[in-house]
Amino acid sequence: MLNKKTVDDINVKGQKVLCRCDFNVPLKEGKITDETRLVAALPTIKKLVADGGQVILCSHLGKPKGEPKPELSLAPVAVRLSELLGQEVKFAADATVVGENAKAAVAAMNDGDIVLLENTRYRAEETKNGEAFSKELASLAEVFVNDAFGTAHRAHCSTVGVTDYIKTSAVGYLMQKEIDFLGNAVNNPNRPFVAILGGSKVSSKISVIENLLEKVDTLIIGGGMAYTFQKSQGKNVGKSLVEDDYVDYAAKMLKKAEEKGVKMLIPVDDVVVKEFNNDAPSRVCEGGMADDEMGVDIGPKTAALYAEALKDAKTVVWNGPMGVFEMPNFAKGTVEVAKVLADLDATTIIGGGDSAAAVNQLGFGDKMSHISTGGGASMEFLEGKELPGVAAINDK
Ligand code: AMP
C-alpha cells in the first residue's frame, strides 16, 4: 500500500492547490485525439473543487524544448476540461507559465475555481528541475498535489522541485490507483503471476526482465525482442530485429529462469515475411528462418502455447505488443493475447504505451482491470525503481 499522503488526507478549503496532472494528450490540428488522460484526471480535480480548494492545474504537453510553441499550448485542454467538468477552467495564457497573466488569474480565484497554467515545458528549467522555476510554481499555492503518474518517473520542477518549497503535498487519486495496481501486482500478487513482455528491444527491458524474474511464476516473451532470445537458442532468425550485443544476455536470462523455477516462454513459431510491409506475402515458420526472412508476429502455435500458460493466471502484467500490431496483417498474435486476457478471471494490468494503445485500438480496454496512463513510469515501476515524483510527496 502506498504510504504517501493522498487528497483524502489534506484540507484544501480556501487554499490554493497546485495540482500537477498529466495532460500530455495527442493533438492533431489543435484537436485532442485521445482524451484518456483528461478523463483519468477528473476524479482528483472534482475532489479538490468539492472540498473548496482553489485549483491551479499544470502539466507539460509534448516537447517544446523550453520555448513557447503555439501548437503545444494547453489551451485546447482547458476548453475540453471545461466541458468534461461542467465548469469553467480558466486558461492562463502565459509564455513564461508563471507570468503576469497567470499571477492575475490565480489572484482572482474563489473557492472551487479552476485555472490551468500554460505548458510547463515552455520553460527550459522544467526538465532540469531548476530552482527558480520550482520556486515560481510553488509561490502560487499552499498545497501541492501530484496526480501525473505518466511523468512520475521524471524529477522535474513541476513534479519534484516544487515540493521543496511547498510544505503540504499529496498524491491524487490517479497516482494512488496506478501505484496500488502496479504495486500489488508486483509485490503482493495473487498467483499464478504471469508477465508478458513484448515490443521491439531487449535492451530497453533488461531491468524489467531481471526484476520480474524475481517475482513471477511465468514470463512470456513476444514481439521483436523474442528473436534475440531465439537466436540465443541457436535458431536462425534471418534478418529479424536482433540485438547481437544481447544474445548472450538472453541465454543467461533463460538459464536463470530455469534455475529459479520460473517458466520463461519464447515463441515456437513466427509469422515471417521478406519485406517489412503489411501486404508482403507471409508464412508461418516453425524451424529456422531463411536468411532473407524476418519475423513480424508470433505464430499460431505460440499464441496457443501462451493462451495455455495464461489460462489459470490470477495476476497478469503486460507490456509490449507481440508483433508489428500497427500493420493489421501482423496484429493477430497481439489480438489473441488481448482476447485471452479479456476473458480471464484475474487482475489484468496493461503497462501503458504501445500495449495500452493496442488493447484500446482492439476494443478490449474495458475488459482489463487496469490500463496504466504512463508507459515509461509503469516500466520504471516494474523495474523496481522508486518514482521520484512519488518519493517527493509527504509520507502519511
Ligand atoms: P516498445 O516501444 O519497445 O514497446 O516496442 C513497440 C514496437 O515494437 C511497436 O511499434 C511494434 O511494431 C514493434 N514490434 C513488435 N514486434 C516486432 C517485430 N517482430 N519486428 C519489429 N518490430 C516489432
Side-chain angles (χ1 to χ4, degrees):
M1 262 325 224
L2 186 63
N3 192 32
K4 294 289 175 183
K5 274 199 176 136
T6 77
V7 285
D8 289 325
D9 302 317
I10 54 175
N11 180 3
V12 298
K13 173 96 188 104
Q15 307 263 311
K16 297 225 162 34
V17 186
L18 179 69
C19 181
R20 177 46 157 115
C21 296
D22 178 8
F23 297 146
N24 185 27
V25 289
L27 285 172
K28 206 170 181 187
E29 287 152 18
K31 290 255 172 317
I32 298 164
T33 55
D34 180 348
E35 60 187 31
T36 308
R37 285 177 163 168
L38 303 191
V39 173
L42 298 179
T44 297
I45 301 172
K46 284 182 181 165
K47 161 78 175 162
L48 295 172
V49 167
D51 286 356
Q54 302 178 15
V55 185
I56 306 159
L57 303 173
C58 68
S59 173
H60 77 284
L61 174 61
K63 293 182 178 163
K65 304 218 163 105
E67 279 174 34
K69 296 229 168 76
E71 68 277 15
L72 292 176
S73 168
L74 279 169
V77 169
V79 173
R80 186 60 189 135
L81 273 179
S82 301
E83 291 164 2
L84 290 168
L85 288 161
Q87 90 171 76
E88 188 193 10
V89 174
K90 190 172 167 38
F91 183 59
D94 219 318
T96 57
V97 189
V98 189
E100 291 315 312
N101 281 346
K103 286 180 192 162
V106 167
M109 292 175 89
N110 292 310
D111 293 358
D113 283 353
I114 310 175
V115 164
L116 171 63
L117 303 181
E118 184 51 282
N119 189 343
T120 51
R121 288 194 192 164
Y122 275 14
R123 293 284 294 268
E125 309 99 295
E126 161 72 336
T127 53
K128 300 186 183 91
N129 201 13
E131 188 180 316
F133 186 44
S134 299
K135 278 185 176 163
E136 284 174 43
L137 286 168
S139 72
L140 297 176
E142 287 99 36
V143 178
F144 175 66
V145 169
N146 192 348
D147 207 22
F149 178 74
T151 333
H153 58 314
R154 305 278 183 228
H156 292 170
C157 294
S158 65
T159 59
V160 171
V162 67
T163 63
D164 287 340
Y165 310 103
I166 293 187
K167 239 189 163 157
T168 305
S169 59
V171 297
Y173 289 136
L174 175 63
M175 186 80 98
Q176 193 182 359
K177 183 170 153 220
E178 293 268 14
I179 290 170
D180 280 349
F181 263 105
L182 287 162
N184 279 334
V186 173
N187 300 316
N188 193 20
N190 281 331
R191 294 186 180 276
F193 175 19
V194 183
I196 310 167
L197 292 179
S200 52
K201 290 181 174 169
V202 179
S203 55
S204 65
K205 304 221 163 130
I206 284 181
S207 311
V208 181
I209 297 173
E210 289 190 0
N211 191 40
L212 287 179
L213 271 183
E214 303 295 326
K215 317 260 183 191
V216 299
D217 301 294
T218 302
L219 182 58
I220 289 175
I221 302 284
M225 62 192 277
Y227 309 111
T228 302
F229 282 91
Q230 288 180 337
K231 187 167 181 181
S232 82
Q233 301 305 291
K235 191 165 175 175
N236 185 358
V237 293
K239 54 178 187 175
S240 301
L241 188 68
V242 163
E243 289 171 285
D244 280 314
D245 289 351
Y246 290 90
V247 172
D248 288 348
Y249 172 83
K252 234 165 63 193
M253 284 304 110
L254 285 164
K255 191 150 173 278
K256 187 171 169 191
E258 200 181 328
E259 285 161 9
K260 285 190 153 301
V262 172
K263 213 195 283 175
M264 188 159 173
L265 302 175
I266 63 173
V268 293
D269 62 348
D270 308 284
V271 176
V272 301
V273 292
K274 291 191 175 173
E275 273 169 55
F276 193 70
N277 73 64
N278 184 51
D279 301 319
S282 63
R283 72 176 185 102
V284 173
C285 171
E286 248 183 77
M289 298 175 203
D291 290 342
D292 61 349
E293 288 179 323
M294 68 183 113
V296 284
D297 197 5
I298 57 172
K301 276 199 178 159
T302 304
L305 177 76
Y306 290 0
E308 179 64 25
L310 283 161
K311 82 174 194 313
D312 297 320
K314 285 287 166 237
T315 305
V316 183
V317 172
W318 181 14
N319 187 291
M322 295 292 98
V324 187
F325 79 101
E326 299 95 332
M327 297 185 187
N329 288 340
F330 313 130
K332 218 169 167 184
T334 304
V335 174
E336 290 302 314
V337 168
K339 270 190 192 155
V340 172
L341 259 57
D343 288 337
L344 282 185
D345 179 19
T347 303
T348 47
I349 299 168
I350 313 300
D354 274 321
S355 358
V359 164
N360 282 327
Q361 190 182 309
L362 301 168
F364 294 113
D366 58 357
K367 297 267 169 54
M368 306 299 163
S369 311
H370 181 66
I371 300 183
S372 176
T373 54
S378 64
M379 283 293 285
E380 292 208 8
F381 196 94
L382 294 177
E383 287 172 13
K385 288 191 187 149
E386 188 176 43
L387 304 176
V390 180
I393 298 298
N394 295 159
D395 289 338
K396 254 202 211 293

